[in-house]
Amino acid sequence: MTTDLTTDSSPEEELLENVDQIAEAREAILAQVRKRIYGQTELIEHLLVALFSRGHCLLMGVPGLAKTSLIATLAEVLDLDFNRIQFTPDLMPADITGTDILEEDHATGKRFFKFIKGPVFSNLLLADEINRTPPKTQAALLQAMQEYEVSAGGTTYELDLPFQVFATQNPIEQEGTYPLPEAQLDRFMFHLTVDYPEADDEVMIVKKTTSSYKAELEPVMDAQRILELQNLVRRVPVSDEVVRYAVDLVRKTRPDGSDAPDYVKEYIGWGAGPRASQYLVIGGKARAILDGRLTVSNEDIKALALPILRHRLLTNFQAEAQGLTTDDIVKRLVEES
């Protein structure tokens, strides 16, 4: 799993030679993760697409569905630095990014400020219950998520790559929570729902977690290899037809646009921006190459449309009155496209 991607072959031959390696890496990752996580196959697949697309994920699910365990397991399998932040109402921005502390040089007596890095300085950051902290603290992640750097005390510090944020939210308990600003929501590639496990999977979960059994995981790759594969994914060719399909799908979510169907104009107050089109295409590339294909199809775009678009649309009062959600609108757009 640590083969160097640098060869003397042509770019096309190099891509073909490494497609099988990426597909094998996917299977190896899944095999290791499944030692501890039972079921949730589609969720894990989406997390891998996000990983190799350099995208962040927002996971929505009730407590006890192994969201934290899944991200920690993924970090262990990928041999990445992992930090978890429990977001609370009293959490401050410096608790995430780090802070300057005053120190004294005992030899000279001079005082100076030293920056102590916060938990954001990791490869995989789990922002647990991110909506439980005020917007000011939530915004502390914006620069890190978009620019891969942190500014503090007039100095900018670069984050080690790869860097990705996996945030969780509880959809049931809303007391004492703060909705994520739209600007921050838009920086999450995926909004994923974590469902209850199937009956057989739940039986296995109960059996394993109530015994002394603890699966030992073997790292499948490291940070350098992940960066190589992320760069490789971006070199996957995609036809103008598929790009146009992704862009047209996103444009149909905008109620003021001429491409929008009547039901979008009736029920949507605000549609998705160009970042959604970008994520659809790069996500389609990652999905194709993880499946051992060099050809991105419209089916790849359709498969990723719901988790990429659901948090980028705003329904109006009329939709809420009729019980329609953004999921309903996106599913209808995909079916009719």
Side-chain angles (χ1 to χ4, degrees):
M1 296 301 172
T2 58
T3 305
D4 189 358
L5 293 177
T6 304
T7 68
D8 294 328
S9 58
S10 67
E12 294 78 9
E13 291 174 339
E14 184 181 332
L15 282 172
L16 288 170
E17 290 171 359
N18 287 282
V19 164
D20 289 341
Q21 294 183 29
I22 294 175
E24 290 174 5
R26 167 185 171 273
E27 292 303 319
I29 292 171
L30 290 175
Q32 292 298 317
V33 171
R34 285 171 180 154
K35 290 181 179 180
R36 290 186 184 170
I37 305 298
Y38 305 97
Q40 308 290 5
T41 300
E42 184 179 28
L43 174 64
I44 298 171
E45 295 276 4
H46 279 131
L47 291 180
L48 292 182
V49 169
L51 175 72
F52 294 111
S53 301
R54 302 175 185 170
H56 309 288
C57 291
L58 179 62
L59 285 71
M60 183 77 75
V62 298
L65 296 183
K67 298 184 294 295
T68 300
S69 297
L70 173 57
I71 304 305
T73 298
L74 190 62
E76 187 175 346
V77 171
L78 298 174
D79 198 22
L80 296 174
D81 290 334
F82 171 73
N83 279 329
R84 173 183 175 272
I85 305 175
Q86 180 64 51
F87 279 68
T88 57
D90 60 347
L91 194 72
M92 299 297 291
D95 296 328
I96 298 173
T97 60
T99 187
D100 287 310
I101 63 171
L102 187 63
E103 290 196 346
E104 181 177 340
D105 187 330
H106 297 291
T108 63
K110 292 184 178 180
R111 295 184 176 182
F112 60 93
F113 283 101
K114 179 181 179 181
F115 180 68
I116 303 299
K117 293 181 178 180
V120 73
F121 288 86
S122 60
N123 296 128
L124 289 188
L125 178 68
L126 176 61
D128 217 352
E129 294 189 289
I130 190 173
N131 58 331
R132 288 203 172 277
T133 198
K136 179 180 179 180
T137 305
Q138 293 175 3
L141 283 175
L142 286 175
Q143 183 183 15
M145 293 173 67
Q146 186 65 28
E147 308 295 338
Y148 303 112
E149 60 186 25
V150 170
S151 295
T155 304
T156 299
Y157 304 89
E158 292 187 0
L159 299 173
D160 292 333
L161 299 179
F163 171 77
Q164 285 171 277
V165 174
F166 294 104
T168 69
Q169 281 190 219
N170 178 356
I172 298 178
E173 191 176 1
Q174 298 302 320
E175 184 177 350
T177 62
Y178 304 83
L180 291 179
E182 297 303 321
Q184 183 154 10
L185 274 176
D186 195 47
R187 282 169 171 77
F188 286 102
M189 177 179 184
F190 285 147
H191 183 301
L192 301 171
T193 56
V194 186
D195 296 323
Y196 291 108
E198 298 292 335
D200 291 342
D201 292 327
E202 189 164 354
V203 168
M204 186 62 68
I205 291 170
V206 173
K207 287 176 62 177
K208 296 297 184 182
T209 57
T210 56
S211 70
S212 59
Y213 172 79
K214 182 175 176 60
E216 295 296 328
L217 303 182
E218 299 177 7
V220 172
M221 59 180 66
D222 56 18
Q224 181 58 41
R225 178 61 172 167
I226 292 172
L227 290 175
E228 292 173 350
L229 296 183
Q230 288 177 340
N231 292 332
L232 187 68
V233 165
R234 291 182 173 266
R235 292 165 48 198
V236 172
V238 57
S239 68
D240 291 343
E241 177 188 354
V242 173
V243 173
R244 173 60 66 179
Y245 176 80
V247 171
D248 287 346
L249 184 61
V250 172
R251 292 181 65 85
K252 288 178 181 177
T253 68
R254 302 168 188 168
D256 295 334
S258 59
D259 300 329
D262 290 339
Y263 58 87
V264 169
K265 295 179 179 180
E266 183 177 0
Y267 298 121
I268 296 297
W270 198 261
R275 187 177 278 128
S277 305
Q278 295 170 333
Y279 279 142
L280 283 172
V281 172
I282 190 63
K285 290 183 176 186
R287 185 175 187 270
I289 204 167
L290 283 168
D291 196 36
R293 294 179 284 113
L294 265 182
T295 304
V296 184
S297 68
N298 288 351
E299 294 305 314
D300 292 312
I301 306 300
K302 290 180 180 181
L304 302 177
L306 183 58
I308 287 178
L309 292 176
R310 62 160 47 113
H311 58 300
R312 293 184 162 86
L313 310 185
L314 290 178
T315 53
N316 56 25
F317 175 77
Q318 191 167 352
E320 294 174 7
Q322 297 192 27
L324 292 175
T325 66
T326 57
D327 282 27
D328 298 323
I329 302 297
V330 174
K331 287 176 182 179
R332 184 171 175 180
L333 282 171
V334 171
E335 289 173 358
E336 296 178 358
S337 62

Short mmCIF file of all heavy atoms in Angstrom, two decimals, residues 6 26 59 69 78 278 291:
data_model
loop_
_atom_site.label_atom_id
_atom_site.label_comp_id
_atom_site.label_asym_id
_atom_site.label_seq_id
_atom_site.Cartn_x
_atom_site.Cartn_y
_atom_site.Cartn_z
N THR A 6 5.27 7.79 -8.51
CA THR A 6 6.13 8.39 -9.52
C THR A 6 6.72 7.32 -10.42
O THR A 6 7.43 6.43 -9.96
CB THR A 6 7.28 9.18 -8.85
OG1 THR A 6 6.72 10.14 -7.97
CG2 THR A 6 8.12 9.86 -9.90
N ARG A 26 -9.10 0.53 -0.99
CA ARG A 26 -10.47 0.69 -0.50
C ARG A 26 -10.95 -0.58 0.19
O ARG A 26 -11.50 -0.52 1.30
CB ARG A 26 -11.38 1.03 -1.67
CG ARG A 26 -12.87 0.91 -1.39
CD ARG A 26 -13.66 1.16 -2.66
NE ARG A 26 -15.07 0.86 -2.48
CZ ARG A 26 -15.61 -0.33 -2.65
NH1 ARG A 26 -14.85 -1.37 -2.99
NH2 ARG A 26 -16.92 -0.51 -2.48
N LEU A 59 -21.98 14.72 10.13
CA LEU A 59 -22.75 13.49 10.37
C LEU A 59 -23.90 13.78 11.32
O LEU A 59 -23.69 14.29 12.42
CB LEU A 59 -21.86 12.40 10.97
CG LEU A 59 -20.86 11.69 10.06
CD1 LEU A 59 -19.71 12.60 9.66
CD2 LEU A 59 -20.31 10.45 10.74
N SER A 69 -16.84 6.39 17.24
CA SER A 69 -16.03 5.18 17.08
C SER A 69 -15.63 4.97 15.63
O SER A 69 -14.51 4.54 15.34
CB SER A 69 -16.81 3.96 17.57
OG SER A 69 -17.10 4.06 18.95
N LEU A 78 -5.93 4.39 8.97
CA LEU A 78 -5.17 5.21 8.04
C LEU A 78 -3.89 5.76 8.67
O LEU A 78 -3.16 6.50 8.01
CB LEU A 78 -6.03 6.36 7.54
CG LEU A 78 -7.29 5.94 6.76
CD1 LEU A 78 -8.15 7.15 6.44
CD2 LEU A 78 -6.91 5.21 5.48
N GLN A 278 -18.62 21.81 -7.78
CA GLN A 278 -17.24 21.36 -7.63
C GLN A 278 -17.18 20.05 -6.85
O GLN A 278 -16.46 19.11 -7.24
CB GLN A 278 -16.41 22.44 -6.93
CG GLN A 278 -16.27 23.73 -7.73
CD GLN A 278 -15.65 24.85 -6.90
OE1 GLN A 278 -15.77 24.88 -5.68
NE2 GLN A 278 -15.00 25.77 -7.57
N ASP A 291 -13.88 2.70 -7.06
CA ASP A 291 -14.59 1.55 -7.60
C ASP A 291 -13.78 0.86 -8.70
O ASP A 291 -14.26 -0.08 -9.34
CB ASP A 291 -15.94 2.00 -8.15
CG ASP A 291 -16.88 0.83 -8.38
OD1 ASP A 291 -16.86 -0.12 -7.56
OD2 ASP A 291 -17.64 0.85 -9.37
#
